[in-house]
Amino acid sequence: MSNIYIQEPPTNGKVLLRTTCGDIDVELWSKEAPKACRNFVQLCMEGYYDGTIFHRIVKGFIAQGGDPTGSGTGGESIYGQPFKDEFHQRLRFLRRGLVAMANAGPNDNASQFFLTLAATPELYNKHTIFGKVAGNTVYNLAKFDDVEVNSRERPLYPPKILHAEVLGNPFDDIIPRSLRTSKEKDGGKKEKKSKSKGTKNFKLLSFGEEAEVEEEALIEASKDIKVKSKSAHDVGNDERLSSVPALDTPGSHLAMPADKEEDAAGAEAVKKKLKRTANEAKVGEDEGPVELFGEIKKQKAEQLLALKKEVNDLKKQIRGSKSGQVSDEQATNSAVEEAGVNEAVVEFKKEKLKYITEKKNLKRGNESREAKTLAILSKFQVKLQKAQEVPEEEKKEEEEEEKREVGKERSRTEEGETEDDKGWMSHRLHFEGHEVKVRDANVQEADIYEISDPRNAMTQRRREASKLKMQHLHK
């Protein structure tokens, strides 16, 4: 790897990409790829890459990003159009951690770039290399290989560039486009402010007293115009149009005439009657739902009581079965009565009772479970010894009978008969004898092939001997 680093030219410029997979330091080859580096640095200064994702990840190959749309088809360069490729003899895709421009064809570079996750020599002279990942941040590239990807090479949870910071700018003349627009806006505002109208200074000689008089007349005329407009009711002399408003505004009168007071009292009485009738109607309507709600409550209470009774009865039955109050016969009878026609349930319950009774009859004295199992094993050993102590004549007869009864046993197993034969205890396993053949080295068999190594000394001597024989024959 050291020879690869020595072949690469020195860098000039540095950018820090803060991503969700960790920081990535990118050192730039600004002399070898000036257009690509200028484009990358200015986009980083403008915050173009902030919040963008790595929309394409090919494990063991590349991680591509730099598209603000996240689709892989967007992005623009600072030049307003795609710029040309910049290839260099000393910059090759021989290792991971290289930064290059992504394109859709030759001379089609915009804002998208990719990071190599391994050596990719097939990309040489197809993509412009303009930087490399430096320092310990190379190890953060391994996290891209662990990202889950679908069949279209798009990550399910894509890594994101949080912020791009320019640590070393190799181009002093770069001015971000955001700063240019802000300066232009500020200059426009200043010009507009300078165009604002100013107040006239009548002390100057160019105006004189006449100008001051004209200005005062204009001010008075404008005041007359600003007065509220009057309607035809106020201005006209028509008898049919009254200047008194139709609606009484608050505070417009202090006292009410006697007729109006009587009318107000009658209106209040009518309002009270309407309120009473409305309240009575509401009470009548509410009685029905209240009664229904009470009935529902009663039904729920009855259901709860029935459930409580059933629970208490079940508890009593369980306590009685535990204390032994119910006998086995009564339990079987009740099981038969409850099961009815279902015979399978009856048989199951009978077997269950049988095992329960056997469990009760078991001795709970000094004999433990281990002792019982040992006793059963000892009985089985005694049976095996007795079966093996059969005389030799009987053994021969048994072997002959076994050969005869092979067919009979097969037929029995097919018919479903049980096997109660205890002959298997005395049976012994026998194997057919295999004769070991001794091979003669001088005899050649068809299955044996000679293997001659030309490098072996014996084979070399044989060849020389055969050559000498052939020479004598020809002579």
Side-chain angles (χ1 to χ4, degrees):
M1 289 295 289
S2 60
N3 58 351
I4 295 169
Y5 292 109
I6 290 165
Q7 288 175 4
E8 291 174 351
T11 58
N12 183 18
K14 191 173 184 180
V15 174
L16 174 62
L17 297 177
R18 298 188 184 277
T19 68
T20 53
C21 292
D23 293 346
I24 296 173
D25 286 330
V26 180
E27 293 183 355
L28 304 173
W29 283 300
S30 57
K31 291 181 181 178
E32 288 73 18
K35 287 184 179 179
C37 289
R38 181 181 285 273
N39 181 58
F40 185 72
V41 170
Q42 185 166 340
L43 291 175
C44 290
M45 292 173 72
E46 293 173 358
Y48 189 83
Y49 294 127
D50 295 353
T52 59
I53 61 170
F54 287 91
H55 59 272
R56 184 187 175 208
I57 294 175
V58 184
K59 293 185 178 182
F61 190 59
I62 61 166
Q64 186 173 339
D67 182 5
T69 62
S71 61
T73 58
E76 294 180 356
S77 67
I78 61 170
Y79 307 110
Q81 59 185 357
F83 58 91
K84 293 183 180 180
D85 296 324
E86 296 171 321
F87 303 127
H88 197 269
Q89 293 180 354
R90 295 174 67 184
L91 298 177
R92 299 190 179 189
F93 292 97
L94 299 175
R95 63 183 180 87
R96 68 174 177 178
L98 297 173
V99 188
M101 296 301 300
N103 56 30
N107 302 322
D108 190 20
N109 302 302
S111 66
Q112 294 188 36
F113 64 92
F114 63 87
L115 309 170
T116 59
L117 305 178
T120 56
E122 60 270 22
L123 301 179
Y124 182 62
N125 283 341
K126 293 181 182 179
H127 298 271
T128 302
I129 302 171
F130 65 91
K132 66 177 180 179
V133 180
N136 293 328
T137 58
V138 176
Y139 300 111
N140 291 331
L141 293 177
K143 296 178 182 178
F144 288 94
D145 285 326
D146 298 332
V147 177
E148 294 181 4
V149 183
N150 61 10
S151 59
R152 297 181 181 178
E153 299 175 349
R154 291 187 66 85
L156 300 177
Y157 304 99
K160 187 184 288 186
I161 298 174
L162 302 174
H163 180 63
E165 184 180 354
V166 179
L167 301 178
N169 187 0
F171 307 101
D172 298 332
D173 57 341
I174 290 177
I175 299 172
R177 285 174 288 184
S178 58
L179 294 174
R180 290 177 187 171
T181 52
S182 62
K183 285 179 181 178
E184 288 173 1
K185 287 179 183 178
D186 294 337
K189 286 179 183 178
K190 288 177 181 178
E191 287 175 1
K192 287 179 182 178
K193 286 180 182 178
S194 61
K195 290 178 182 178
S196 61
K197 293 180 180 179
T199 57
K200 291 182 179 180
N201 189 0
F202 295 106
K203 293 179 181 179
L204 297 173
L205 296 172
S206 60
F207 287 100
E209 294 178 358
E210 293 177 359
E212 191 173 356
V213 172
E214 288 175 1
E215 189 70 22
E216 288 176 0
L218 286 170
I219 292 165
E220 288 178 0
S222 63
K223 285 180 181 178
D224 293 337
I225 291 163
K226 288 179 182 179
V227 175
K228 290 181 181 180
S229 60
K230 295 181 179 180
S231 64
H233 295 269
D234 298 324
V235 178
N237 297 320
D238 194 353
E239 294 178 354
R240 292 175 293 177
L241 300 175
S242 63
S243 60
V244 181
L247 296 172
D248 294 331
T249 56
S252 61
H253 58 275
L254 298 172
M256 293 176 67
D259 296 334
K260 289 183 179 180
E261 288 178 358
E262 289 176 1
D263 294 336
E268 288 178 0
V270 172
K271 285 180 183 178
K272 287 179 181 178
K273 285 181 182 180
L274 289 170
K275 284 182 181 178
R276 286 175 188 172
T277 54
N279 291 329
E280 288 174 359
K282 283 182 181 177
V283 171
E285 289 174 358
D286 294 339
E287 283 178 359
V290 170
E291 290 176 358
L292 289 170
F293 187 67
E295 290 177 0
I296 291 163
K297 273 189 174 180
K298 286 179 183 178
Q299 289 177 2
K300 286 185 178 179
E302 289 174 358
Q303 289 176 1
L304 287 169
L305 289 170
L307 289 169
K308 284 181 181 179
K309 285 181 182 179
E310 288 179 3
V311 171
N312 291 326
D313 293 336
L314 289 168
K315 284 181 180 178
K316 286 178 182 178
Q317 289 178 5
I318 292 162
R319 287 173 187 169
S321 63
K322 284 183 179 178
S323 60
Q325 291 178 0
V326 182
S327 63
D328 297 338
E329 294 178 358
Q330 290 176 357
T332 52
N333 292 328
S334 63
V336 172
E337 289 174 0
E338 288 174 4
V341 185
N342 197 350
E343 295 178 356
V345 176
V346 174
E347 290 178 359
F348 171 72
K349 290 190 176 180
K350 283 182 180 178
E351 287 180 359
K352 191 176 179 182
L353 290 169
K354 179 183 173 183
Y355 287 116
I356 289 165
T357 52
E358 286 179 357
K359 190 176 179 182
K360 287 180 181 178
N361 294 327
L362 287 172
K363 294 179 181 179
R364 299 180 180 178
N366 296 326
E367 291 182 0
S368 62
R369 190 171 181 179
E370 293 180 359
K372 289 176 186 176
T373 53
L374 291 170
I376 292 164
L377 284 169
S378 63
K379 286 180 183 178
F380 182 69
Q381 286 175 357
V382 171
K383 282 184 182 179
L384 287 173
Q385 287 176 1
K386 287 179 180 178
Q388 290 174 1
E389 289 175 357
V390 181
E392 294 180 357
E393 294 178 357
E394 292 181 0
K395 287 180 182 178
K396 291 179 181 178
E397 291 177 357
E398 285 178 357
E399 288 177 358
E400 291 176 358
E401 287 177 359
E402 282 178 0
K403 292 177 181 178
R404 294 171 186 173
E405 291 179 356
V406 169
K408 294 181 181 179
E409 287 177 358
R410 289 177 182 174
S411 61
R412 286 176 186 174
T413 52
E414 289 173 359
E415 291 174 359
E417 294 181 1
T418 57
E419 294 181 359
D420 295 331
D421 189 13
K422 296 181 181 178
W424 60 271
M425 293 185 183
S426 60
H427 182 72
R428 292 182 181 179
L429 189 64
H430 297 284
F431 296 97
E432 294 180 359
H434 295 284
E435 296 179 0
V436 179
K437 295 180 180 180
V438 178
R439 293 176 181 176
D440 190 358
N442 297 320
V443 178
Q444 291 184 354
E445 294 181 2
D447 297 334
I448 297 170
Y449 298 96
E450 289 184 359
I451 299 169
S452 60
D453 188 2
R455 296 171 294 180
N456 194 358
M458 291 292 291
T459 55
Q460 289 176 0
R461 288 173 190 168
R462 286 175 185 173
R463 284 182 178 179
E464 289 175 358
S466 63
K467 285 179 182 179
L468 291 169
K469 284 180 182 178
M470 292 295 291
Q471 288 174 2
H472 287 297
L473 288 170
H474 286 297
K475 288 178 180 179

